[in-house]
Amino acid sequence: MKATGIVRRIDDLGRVVVPKEIRRTLRIREGDPLEIFTDNEGSIILKKYSPIGEMTPFAKQYAEALSSVAGHMIIITDRDQAIAVAGGVKSELLGKHISKPLENIMTERQLYNTANDKNPITIVEGTDMNFKEYQQVIYPIICEGDVIGSVIIMSKNNNRLTDTENKLAGVAALFLARQMES
């Protein structure tokens, strides 16, 4: 554990304010769920909760199957990071924080396809990968009214992604959302 030097008091309702600097650094937004853990030494640990993160092994299998059928790179993200990658350089993407443009696309809750005169976006931060070389289809995963992640299909060498890839991404997003609901 790393000490921050910040001390906060519990109010009369049992609440503690997480400092703005920590919320910004950890990308915790208003309304984000936090998981609470305790250890044997009396420490309380708060961790940002990712509902789709619980499905990471399943998401990896789904991404691999989709990549082998579609012949494209598949990336599945939660609201913070890439949790599954298939058909591409996993070490460049897996576990990396998603970009602000991807966050915005997910918030819009719309299909994003670079074949429709849209520019490719950077998917994750902290990589040397040139995302401008790829065609992209991005479909948000919406579970019980909340955006919980995205399914991304990427293809290199100007292979145009068509309505087929739009539907594949949509089916994957809907299927993952349904798995979360049950």
Side-chain angles (χ1 to χ4, degrees):
M1 229 176 339
K2 187 166 89 173
T4 63
I6 301 171
V7 176
R8 292 288 191 254
R9 296 198 185 279
I10 296 176
D11 71 8
D12 57 343
L13 296 175
R15 298 177 294 196
V16 176
V17 174
V18 178
K20 186 176 187 176
E21 302 83 21
I22 293 174
R23 291 194 318 263
R24 187 180 315 125
T25 302
L26 299 178
R27 300 174 136 205
I28 298 171
R29 296 175 290 273
E30 182 180 328
D32 282 352
L34 297 177
E35 252 182 309
I36 303 170
F37 299 92
T38 59
D39 67 12
N40 294 339
E41 298 167 6
S43 296
I44 297 172
I45 301 163
L46 299 176
K47 184 179 178 197
K48 193 169 178 183
Y49 176 71
S50 168
I52 198 168
E54 293 177 1
M55 290 186 53
T56 299
F58 182 74
K60 287 179 182 176
Q61 291 175 347
Y62 198 96
E64 288 169 5
L66 187 57
S67 177
S68 68
V69 169
H72 301 299
M73 184 187 315
I74 307 297
I75 305 167
I76 299 175
T77 73
D78 63 11
R79 294 277 306 187
D80 294 308
Q81 63 184 342
I83 63 165
V85 179
V89 197
K90 291 181 186 177
S91 61
E92 281 286 314
L93 304 169
L94 200 57
K96 300 272 172 77
H97 284 288
I98 65 169
S99 68
K100 194 70 174 161
L102 179 55
E103 278 185 50
N104 294 339
I105 289 170
M106 289 191 309
T107 302
E108 291 171 9
R109 299 170 177 247
Q110 303 264 328
L111 168 70
Y112 186 90
N113 187 332
T114 55
N116 300 336
D117 297 324
K118 295 182 179 176
N119 294 321
I121 63 159
T122 298
I123 302 297
V124 297
E125 299 172 347
T127 179
D128 294 330
M129 190 170 174
N130 184 2
F131 291 97
K132 305 292 183 203
E133 297 176 351
Y134 291 86
Q135 294 292 312
Q136 301 169 338
V137 169
I138 302 169
Y139 208 100
I141 302 171
I142 301 172
C143 179
E144 296 176 349
D146 295 324
V147 176
I148 62 168
S150 66
V151 174
I152 302 160
I153 299 177
M154 294 197 336
S155 182
K156 204 169 184 177
N157 302 329
N158 294 327
N159 289 340
R160 242 173 130 71
L161 298 178
T162 65
D163 196 43
T164 301
E165 285 81 12
N166 291 349
K167 289 179 181 175
L168 283 172
V171 167
L174 187 59
F175 182 76
L176 291 168
R178 292 286 191 269
Q179 293 302 306
M180 290 301 304
E181 291 171 358
S182 56

